[in-house]
Amino acid sequence: MNITKQLTPFRDLMAQRNTLVAAHRGAMGYAPENTFAAYNLALDMGADAIELDVHLSKDDIPVILHDSNLEHATSGKGLVQDHTLDKLKSLYVSSRSASSCPSERIPTLEEVCRWAKGRIYIMVEIKNNPDNLMKCQGIENKVLEILHKCDMADQTEILSFDHGLIKRINQSRLDIITG
C-alpha cells in the first residue's frame, strides 16, 4: 500500500530537530542493504530517513547499490557501470547478516523515490567510481531529474565525497540540501 502524506520539508525538519534517525542503507543489519526489505524495516523501526547509494548503470539509469563492484552484495560480477538495468535487475542482493530475508533485487532511484514519497526522507549519496570518472560525469543531473520527476526535492538531501559535484548542485538547485 502506498501511503502519501505531506512531510515537512527536509530543510525545516533539520532546523527543528536536534537528532535525526537515519537508517544507513536501510535496516541493513536485518535485511539486505539498499533494498526495499531494508527500507521497509527502517520505516517500521521509526527511522526519519534512509541513506542510500547511487551509481549509474551502463544505460545511464541511477541504481541503488553501495559498491561499484557487484561482488560485494550481489550475485553478479564486475562493475555496476558495465551492466544494463535489465542485467542488474536479474541479480540478487545478498545479506551477510540477515539470512532469513528473502532474496531482493537492486532498486532504481526512481522506484525508491516513488516508494518514499510522503513516507520517509531520503539521503542520496552519489557515488563516483574512481575506475571510470568519465562514466560518472553527469550523474548528478540524472539524480536531480528523477527527484524533480517524483517531486522529492523537499524530502531529500544529496551527499557526496565529490566536492565538485556538490558545488555544481548547489549552483543549479538551491531547493536541495547537500552535504
Side-chain angles (χ1 to χ4, degrees):
M1 181 164 105
N2 191 3
I3 302 167
T4 301
K5 60 184 177 185
Q6 186 65 32
L7 292 178
T8 302
F10 201 95
R11 186 177 307 280
D12 296 343
L13 177 72
M14 296 298 286
Q16 296 167 1
R17 304 267 301 270
N18 290 327
T19 304
L20 180 75
V21 177
H24 189 240
R25 301 182 214 162
M28 65 181 274
Y30 302 92
E33 65 185 43
N34 278 322
T35 64
F36 282 111
Y39 300 152
N40 280 311
L41 275 171
L43 185 63
D44 291 346
M45 293 172 150
D48 297 307
I50 53 171
E51 182 271 348
L52 51 94
D53 307 284
V54 178
H55 292 274
L56 282 181
S57 66
K58 184 176 183 175
D59 43 356
D60 291 329
I61 308 297
V63 295
I64 311 302
L65 198 65
H66 182 264
D67 292 330
S68 59
N69 189 319
L70 293 169
E71 284 91 348
H72 169 74
T74 76
S75 58
K77 295 188 185 301
L79 299 174
V80 172
Q81 67 190 23
D82 293 336
H83 298 280
T84 64
L85 179 61
D86 284 344
K87 174 61 179 174
L88 293 170
K89 283 291 195 179
S90 74
L91 304 175
Y92 291 101
V93 180
S94 59
S95 176
R96 294 181 181 169
S97 60
S99 60
S100 64
C101 256
S103 296
E104 290 285 319
R105 303 292 181 156
I106 297 171
T108 66
L109 178 60
E110 186 170 346
E111 290 168 341
V112 173
C113 285
R114 292 192 185 289
W115 170 86
K117 179 72 180 157
R119 291 180 167 189
I120 195 165
Y121 298 93
I122 60 173
M123 302 170 82
V124 177
E125 183 178 339
I126 297 177
K127 299 288 197 168
N128 273 345
N129 180 0
D131 298 325
N132 189 354
L133 288 176
M134 290 303 291
K135 173 64 180 165
C136 296
Q137 286 185 343
I139 187 173
E140 71 272 15
N141 295 328
K142 298 284 186 187
V143 168
L144 291 170
E145 207 175 279
I146 289 169
L147 294 176
H148 176 72
K149 178 180 177 181
C150 296
D151 192 27
M152 284 287 292
D154 66 344
Q155 243 181 273
T156 304
E157 177 180 23
I158 295 179
L159 310 165
S160 183
F161 288 100
D162 180 337
H163 297 177
L165 182 145
I166 292 297
K167 185 176 180 178
R168 290 190 300 277
I169 291 172
N170 286 335
Q171 290 171 342
S172 66
R173 292 292 302 266
L174 300 175
D175 60 331
I176 299 214
I177 295 176
T178 58

